[in-house]
Amino acid sequence: MTQHEVDTWLAVNPGSRFTVRDFAVWATRRGHARTLDVPHWPKKDPVAMDEDSHWELLRQCLTDTDRPLEVRGAGSILLLFGQHLTRIAALTTRAVTTAGEETFLTLDRTPIPLPAPLGGLLADLANRLPPTNWAANTSRGWLFPGGRPGQHLSATVLGRRLAAHQIPNRPARATALVALAQDLPPAVLGPMLGLHPVTAARWRRRAATDWTAYLEARRRVDIGGSQG
């Protein structure tokens, strides 16, 4: 079998046919077939939120004091910086620092200056006291301490708490990263958010595509309005 025959077979009806990749790799390694390339099933881009809903959720996280403090803090980091919940849940209090009147959040290597509302919110999280039924200092060190002394909150539990307050994880992350990638080159975005260079470049391309589609949609609306 040739590579051309494999490509033709996949192109006719891709569907679940990409699952033969494991067999092709096995057959090649055992010497039963020549080198054949069957790609992984292409991943779809995560569906983003509309910008108005996204920024309204962020406003609620920053201002709605009826929401739990950890939901407001984690939601703000997710909506503004597009971090994975596993990384948010494992943030330590050392990630939040102050210099004069300015507060910074370090997600990877670059301290990020925060707007005053978010800086105050994360400072409150970092400085809050542990539950009274715990031994002293057992929750110190974690920005989001878990239910067991000395452990941070799990990403699963954090995701459930955010979902209970209508903060969707993947759409919120996608919208935040697209918004950041529109303004920042991959060389800046990667070290700031802890993204692999390839991942940062991919979000940059995604942002460029989304922005082009947005401008085209606006152009059609403007043309339609002028004709009316």
Side-chain angles (χ1 to χ4, degrees):
M1 181 174 291
T2 66
Q3 183 65 48
H4 175 71
E5 290 171 328
V6 172
D7 294 339
T8 302
W9 183 72
L10 290 172
V12 173
N13 181 20
S16 61
R17 295 191 175 193
F18 286 91
T19 58
V20 303
R21 182 179 188 280
D22 291 340
F23 173 75
V25 171
W26 174 85
T28 298
R29 289 177 177 173
R30 291 298 183 93
H32 301 310
R34 68 184 70 186
T35 301
L36 299 172
D37 180 31
V38 179
H40 290 284
W41 177 252
K43 294 182 179 179
K44 295 181 179 179
D45 287 334
V47 178
M49 303 170 60
D50 67 90
E51 290 192 17
D52 289 342
S53 299
H54 183 264
W55 297 119
E56 174 59 22
L57 278 178
L58 179 59
R59 184 195 66 79
Q60 292 174 12
C61 286
L62 294 175
T63 61
D64 186 359
T65 56
D66 290 334
R67 297 188 180 205
L69 189 61
E70 69 272 10
V71 169
R72 296 175 59 202
S76 296
I77 296 172
L78 171 66
L79 290 158
L80 196 56
F81 300 116
Q83 291 288 286
H84 277 296
L85 292 187
T86 51
R87 299 194 66 189
I88 295 175
L91 285 172
T92 67
T93 55
R94 295 190 300 275
V96 181
T97 56
T98 58
E101 296 183 354
E102 198 162 17
T103 303
F104 298 84
L105 175 65
T106 302
L107 297 171
D108 187 49
R109 289 175 282 170
T110 307
I112 306 169
L114 301 175
L118 180 55
L121 175 59
L122 295 187
D124 289 343
L125 267 174
N127 296 325
R128 65 178 174 173
L129 296 174
T132 55
N133 61 330
W134 287 9
N137 299 326
T138 52
S139 69
R140 297 297 177 89
W142 300 117
L143 200 58
F144 302 97
R148 296 182 178 181
Q151 296 185 4
H152 64 73
L153 195 66
S154 74
T156 301
V157 172
L158 183 58
R160 289 172 183 167
R161 293 183 183 179
L162 292 175
H165 290 270
Q166 290 73 54
I167 302 174
N169 173 26
R170 295 189 68 189
R173 179 173 184 268
T175 307
L177 288 174
V178 166
L180 288 169
Q182 286 175 355
D183 298 326
L184 299 173
V188 175
L189 191 65
M192 185 177 82
L193 300 184
L195 299 176
H196 189 278
V198 173
T199 303
R202 185 170 68 244
W203 280 108
R204 179 70 171 184
R205 291 193 297 272
R206 165 79 184 274
T209 302
D210 285 8
W211 184 243
T212 301
Y214 169 77
L215 291 177
E216 177 61 23
R218 286 296 303 270
R219 187 186 69 81
R220 289 197 297 268
V221 171
D222 292 341
I223 292 175
S226 62
Q227 291 176 345

